[in-house]
């Protein structure tokens, strides 16, 4: 008889406790260590050493992955003190593999919305996304991002909303992205589970139904498709220890790309042929660009490295990578009023800015308040990005700077990059004091924020039915070494009856608002074939509604 899910989870905790002080015969195992870093300058010095800093950090410490004896020497050379928290990452992965196999054997359907009981492969993600779209074609649309990965793979997602194929509803957009970093498997799992949850509960839960009538939800569970594919494949190679303590025959004496963080860019400026990451193995985790340091805002500054072997290598230039270009083009063509990027691990909800010298954002009171509401559901800490450590070129810092849409990073879990799968149930639904809350409830609160017109802007009015309204804005985004040109461009088809309501982000960017200045969108009214009939300049503030009468467009279209 199979164990119930609660008993299976209890068994996970018991086995984890038994491996905390375990040793392993390998002479130089990879380890997770906690480094005492008492000052901001110390963080900068540690990052510049080229060591693999995790997202698990707090006041005066950061967890670091020591992959090799060379890393251990680098750490010693910094002069910092540290303690080992996981003495053998390979052994830990093997124990986790055992726990995952036991949980799958003991569980018919997990409590997760999909009922899954094991981590997905890339093929699993793609199949699940396609199935969601095919089973609910009026609610779910499969989307393929505008760019393929550096190895040429498609990057898939889903768009979820009532009457999802409509081009006339003007709804705001909520965007969730997982797996910027290849080794952070739970970030993809919770992203796709939320998508499945919304689809299952449309028409069942009044709250979910009303939200999907007001908002378009876009979920891209795996952005770093090449890196994740490598990490997941190497995860399958981690052997389960047999009853005598031996290994399965032919087991590799390496974690290979299992702890890969970056994408599969092997040489800057050159495409990577399919399988190029395989050629960089074993121990190819150092190959590639850190996608979450490759976005435009202050690209190339503190908290990112210019050294290609560094785990925070920022890339050749801002948006040099097709994966970040794809997110840039997605955000730039939609009004993403709230964004979440999921990562592991640190039990944190982070908000812009990512750089200490920036201080706080112009929308800090509202962003902090939303963060507080979310962490009240999952027990995480509500922090500014730089309170973890300085970062530049990150996803939500760029999206907020370019659009004014609120953006957050969720650092899921407190133990490790890939905890036993059973523990994802608690991360999603909450446990103990947070039971029936968890990240599910936090995500729903973020979705409600996306729908709330007090947190974005609205343009409404009359125009000829069937005409196309287009909002455009171009501007320079500063990097640490210059600037790049950004362009926002979105469209709305005017519905029958000629009245439209368009939920948009404010016309004035946060950095411009901080200077007391005003920016405007250029709005054009066009024939279906593209002929521009009228152009107006539109300024609209957060929480405000701008009403327009496009009379010239009406006259010219009739004429």
């Amino acid at each position: 008889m199979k164990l119930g899910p609660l008993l299976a989870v209890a068994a996970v905790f018991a086995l984890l406790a038994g491996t905390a002080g375990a040793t392993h015969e390998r002479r130089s195992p990879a380890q997770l260590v906690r480094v005492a870093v008492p000052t901001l300058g110390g963080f900068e010095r540690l990052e510049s050493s080229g060591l693999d800093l995790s997202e698990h950090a707090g006041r005066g410490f950061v967890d670091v992955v020591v992959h090799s004896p060379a890393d251990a020497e680098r750490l010693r050379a910094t002069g910092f003190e540290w303690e080992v928290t996981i003495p053998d990452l390979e052994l830990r992965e093997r124990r986790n593999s055992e726990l995952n196999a036991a949980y799958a054997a003991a569980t018919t359907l997990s409590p997760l919305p999909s009922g899954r009981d094991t981590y997905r492969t890339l093929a699993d993600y793609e199949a699940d996304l396609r199935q969601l779209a095919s089973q609910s074609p009026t609610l779910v649309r499969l989307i393929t991002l505008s760019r393929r990965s550096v190895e040429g793979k498609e990057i898939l997602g889903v768009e979820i909303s009532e009457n999802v194929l409509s081009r006339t509803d003007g709804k705001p957009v909520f965007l969730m992205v997982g797996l910027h970093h290849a080794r952070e498997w739970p970030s993809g799992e919770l992203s796709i589970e939320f998508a499945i949850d919304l689809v299952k509960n449309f028409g069942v839960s009044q709250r979910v139904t009303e939200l999907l009538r007001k908002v378009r939800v876009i979920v891209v569970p795996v952005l770093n498709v090449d890196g994740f594919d490598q990490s997941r494949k190497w995860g399958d190679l981690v052997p389960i220890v047999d009853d005598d303590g031996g290994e399965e025959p032919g087991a590799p004496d390496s974690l290979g790309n299992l702890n890969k963080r970056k994408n599969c860019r092997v040489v800057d400026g050159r495409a990577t042929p399919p399988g190029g990451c395989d050629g960089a193995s074993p121990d190819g985790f150092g190959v590639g660009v850190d996608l979450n340091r490759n976005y435009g805002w202050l690209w190339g500054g503190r908290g990112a490295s210019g050294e290609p072997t560094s785990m925070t290598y920022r890339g050749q230039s801002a948006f040099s990578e097709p994966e970040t270009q794809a997110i840039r083009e997605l955000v730039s063509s939609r009004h993403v009023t709230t964004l979440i990027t999921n990562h592991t691990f640190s039990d944190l909800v982070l908000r812009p800015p990512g750089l200490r010298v920036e201080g706080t954002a112009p929308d800090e009171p509202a962003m902090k308040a939303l963060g507080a509401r979310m962490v009240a559901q999952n027990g995480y800490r509500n922090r500014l990005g730089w309170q973890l450590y300085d970062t530049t070129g990150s996803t939500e810092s760029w999206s907020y700077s370019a659009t004014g849409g609120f953006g957050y990073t969720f650092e899921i879990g407190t133990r490790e990059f890939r905890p036993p799968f059973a523990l994802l149930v608690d991360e999603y639904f909450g446990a103990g004091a947070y039971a029936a809350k968890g990240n599910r409830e936090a995500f729903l609160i973020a979705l409600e924020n996306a729908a709330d017109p007090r947190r974005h802007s609205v343009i409404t009015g009359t125009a000829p039915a069937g005409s196309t309204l287009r909002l455009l804005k171009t501007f320079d985004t500063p990097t640490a070494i210059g600037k790049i040109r950004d362009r926002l461009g979105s469209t709305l088809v005017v519905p029958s009856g000629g009245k439209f309501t368009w939920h948009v982000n404010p016309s004035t960017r946060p950095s411009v608002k901080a200077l007391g200045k005003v920016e405007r969108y250029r709005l054009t009214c066009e024939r279906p074939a593209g002929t521009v009939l009228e152009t107006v300049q539109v300024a609209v503030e957060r929480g405000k509604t701008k009403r327009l009468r496009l009379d010239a467009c009406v006259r010219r279209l009739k004429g």
Side-chain angles (χ1 to χ4, degrees), residues 222-243:
V222 186
L223 178 63
N224 186 358
V225 288
D226 299 333
F228 169 69
D229 198 28
Q230 280 293 315
S231 177
R232 188 64 182 80
K233 286 176 182 177
W234 277 86
D236 284 338
L237 294 175
V238 174
I240 295 176
V241 180
D242 62 29
D243 292 337

Short mmCIF file of all heavy atoms in Angstrom, two decimals, residues 222-243:
data_model
loop_
_atom_site.label_atom_id
_atom_site.label_comp_id
_atom_site.label_asym_id
_atom_site.label_seq_id
_atom_site.Cartn_x
_atom_site.Cartn_y
_atom_site.Cartn_z
N VAL A 222 10.05 27.93 -18.35
CA VAL A 222 11.47 27.63 -18.58
C VAL A 222 12.00 28.62 -19.61
O VAL A 222 11.77 28.47 -20.81
CB VAL A 222 11.68 26.19 -19.10
CG1 VAL A 222 13.18 25.87 -19.18
CG2 VAL A 222 10.97 25.18 -18.21
N LEU A 223 12.71 29.64 -19.14
CA LEU A 223 13.34 30.57 -20.07
C LEU A 223 14.68 30.03 -20.56
O LEU A 223 14.97 30.03 -21.75
CB LEU A 223 13.54 31.94 -19.40
CG LEU A 223 14.23 32.98 -20.27
CD1 LEU A 223 13.39 33.31 -21.51
CD2 LEU A 223 14.55 34.24 -19.49
N ASN A 224 15.50 29.54 -19.64
CA ASN A 224 16.83 29.03 -19.97
C ASN A 224 16.71 27.56 -20.39
O ASN A 224 17.10 26.66 -19.67
CB ASN A 224 17.75 29.19 -18.76
CG ASN A 224 19.20 28.82 -19.05
OD1 ASN A 224 19.55 28.41 -20.15
ND2 ASN A 224 20.03 28.96 -18.03
N VAL A 225 16.14 27.35 -21.58
CA VAL A 225 15.79 25.98 -21.98
C VAL A 225 17.04 25.11 -22.17
O VAL A 225 17.04 23.93 -21.81
CB VAL A 225 14.92 25.98 -23.25
CG1 VAL A 225 13.52 26.47 -22.95
CG2 VAL A 225 15.55 26.82 -24.37
N ASP A 226 18.10 25.68 -22.73
CA ASP A 226 19.32 24.89 -22.96
C ASP A 226 19.98 24.50 -21.63
O ASP A 226 20.33 23.34 -21.41
CB ASP A 226 20.33 25.68 -23.79
CG ASP A 226 19.82 26.06 -25.16
OD1 ASP A 226 18.95 25.34 -25.69
OD2 ASP A 226 20.29 27.08 -25.70
N GLY A 227 20.16 25.50 -20.76
CA GLY A 227 20.82 25.22 -19.49
C GLY A 227 20.03 24.27 -18.63
O GLY A 227 20.59 23.35 -18.02
N PHE A 228 18.68 24.49 -18.56
CA PHE A 228 17.86 23.58 -17.77
C PHE A 228 17.91 22.17 -18.32
O PHE A 228 17.99 21.19 -17.57
CB PHE A 228 16.41 24.06 -17.71
CG PHE A 228 15.49 23.03 -17.13
CD1 PHE A 228 15.55 22.69 -15.79
CD2 PHE A 228 14.59 22.35 -17.94
CE1 PHE A 228 14.74 21.71 -15.25
CE2 PHE A 228 13.75 21.38 -17.41
CZ PHE A 228 13.82 21.06 -16.06
N ASP A 229 17.85 22.04 -19.63
CA ASP A 229 17.91 20.70 -20.24
C ASP A 229 19.18 19.98 -19.83
O ASP A 229 19.16 18.79 -19.50
CB ASP A 229 17.84 20.84 -21.76
CG ASP A 229 17.45 19.54 -22.45
OD1 ASP A 229 16.73 18.72 -21.83
OD2 ASP A 229 17.84 19.35 -23.61
N GLN A 230 20.30 20.72 -19.79
CA GLN A 230 21.55 20.12 -19.34
C GLN A 230 21.48 19.73 -17.86
O GLN A 230 21.84 18.61 -17.48
CB GLN A 230 22.70 21.10 -19.55
CG GLN A 230 23.23 21.16 -20.96
CD GLN A 230 23.91 19.87 -21.36
OE1 GLN A 230 24.69 19.31 -20.60
NE2 GLN A 230 23.60 19.39 -22.54
N SER A 231 21.03 20.66 -17.02
CA SER A 231 20.97 20.38 -15.59
C SER A 231 20.08 19.18 -15.31
O SER A 231 20.43 18.29 -14.53
CB SER A 231 20.44 21.61 -14.86
OG SER A 231 20.30 21.37 -13.47
N ARG A 232 18.93 19.13 -15.97
CA ARG A 232 17.99 18.03 -15.72
C ARG A 232 18.55 16.70 -16.20
O ARG A 232 18.38 15.65 -15.55
CB ARG A 232 16.67 18.34 -16.43
CG ARG A 232 15.54 17.38 -16.10
CD ARG A 232 15.16 17.45 -14.64
NE ARG A 232 14.11 16.49 -14.30
CZ ARG A 232 14.31 15.20 -14.08
NH1 ARG A 232 15.52 14.70 -14.16
NH2 ARG A 232 13.31 14.40 -13.79
N LYS A 233 19.24 16.70 -17.34
CA LYS A 233 19.85 15.45 -17.83
C LYS A 233 20.90 14.93 -16.86
O LYS A 233 20.97 13.73 -16.58
CB LYS A 233 20.49 15.68 -19.21
CG LYS A 233 19.51 15.82 -20.36
CD LYS A 233 20.25 16.15 -21.64
CE LYS A 233 19.30 16.34 -22.80
NZ LYS A 233 20.03 16.73 -24.05
N TRP A 234 21.73 15.84 -16.34
CA TRP A 234 22.74 15.42 -15.38
C TRP A 234 22.11 14.97 -14.06
O TRP A 234 22.65 14.11 -13.37
CB TRP A 234 23.77 16.53 -15.16
CG TRP A 234 24.82 16.51 -16.23
CD1 TRP A 234 24.75 17.11 -17.45
CD2 TRP A 234 26.06 15.82 -16.21
NE1 TRP A 234 25.88 16.84 -18.18
CE2 TRP A 234 26.71 16.05 -17.44
CE3 TRP A 234 26.70 15.02 -15.25
CZ2 TRP A 234 27.95 15.52 -17.74
CZ3 TRP A 234 27.96 14.51 -15.55
CH2 TRP A 234 28.56 14.75 -16.78
N GLY A 235 20.96 15.53 -13.76
CA GLY A 235 20.24 15.06 -12.58
C GLY A 235 19.85 13.61 -12.70
O GLY A 235 19.89 12.84 -11.72
N ASP A 236 19.49 13.18 -13.91
CA ASP A 236 19.15 11.77 -14.12
C ASP A 236 20.37 10.87 -14.04
O ASP A 236 20.23 9.66 -13.83
CB ASP A 236 18.47 11.60 -15.48
CG ASP A 236 17.03 12.06 -15.47
OD1 ASP A 236 16.44 12.12 -14.37
OD2 ASP A 236 16.49 12.38 -16.55
N LEU A 237 21.57 11.45 -14.22
CA LEU A 237 22.79 10.65 -14.15
C LEU A 237 23.29 10.45 -12.73
O LEU A 237 24.14 9.60 -12.49
CB LEU A 237 23.91 11.31 -14.98
CG LEU A 237 23.69 11.35 -16.49
CD1 LEU A 237 24.81 12.15 -17.15
CD2 LEU A 237 23.62 9.95 -17.07
N VAL A 238 22.77 11.26 -11.78
CA VAL A 238 23.19 11.09 -10.40
C VAL A 238 22.67 9.75 -9.90
O VAL A 238 21.47 9.52 -9.88
CB VAL A 238 22.65 12.23 -9.51
CG1 VAL A 238 22.97 11.96 -8.04
CG2 VAL A 238 23.27 13.55 -9.93
N PRO A 239 23.56 8.83 -9.54
CA PRO A 239 23.11 7.48 -9.20
C PRO A 239 22.49 7.38 -7.81
O PRO A 239 22.78 8.17 -6.92
CB PRO A 239 24.40 6.66 -9.25
CG PRO A 239 25.46 7.64 -8.87
CD PRO A 239 25.02 8.97 -9.44
N ILE A 240 21.60 6.44 -7.65
CA ILE A 240 21.06 6.10 -6.34
C ILE A 240 21.99 5.07 -5.71
O ILE A 240 22.41 4.11 -6.34
CB ILE A 240 19.64 5.53 -6.47
CG1 ILE A 240 18.71 6.62 -7.01
CG2 ILE A 240 19.13 5.02 -5.14
CD1 ILE A 240 17.30 6.14 -7.28
N VAL A 241 22.35 5.30 -4.45
CA VAL A 241 23.25 4.39 -3.75
C VAL A 241 22.50 3.11 -3.42
O VAL A 241 21.35 3.14 -2.96
CB VAL A 241 23.78 5.06 -2.46
CG1 VAL A 241 24.71 4.12 -1.72
CG2 VAL A 241 24.49 6.36 -2.81
N ASP A 242 23.12 1.95 -3.67
CA ASP A 242 22.43 0.68 -3.41
C ASP A 242 22.48 0.33 -1.92
O ASP A 242 23.05 1.06 -1.10
CB ASP A 242 23.01 -0.45 -4.27
CG ASP A 242 24.48 -0.73 -3.96
OD1 ASP A 242 24.92 -0.51 -2.81
OD2 ASP A 242 25.20 -1.17 -4.88
N ASP A 243 21.91 -0.80 -1.58
CA ASP A 243 21.78 -1.18 -0.17
C ASP A 243 23.12 -1.37 0.53
O ASP A 243 23.23 -1.25 1.75
CB ASP A 243 20.96 -2.47 -0.04
CG ASP A 243 19.50 -2.24 -0.43
OD1 ASP A 243 19.06 -1.08 -0.37
OD2 ASP A 243 18.82 -3.22 -0.80
#
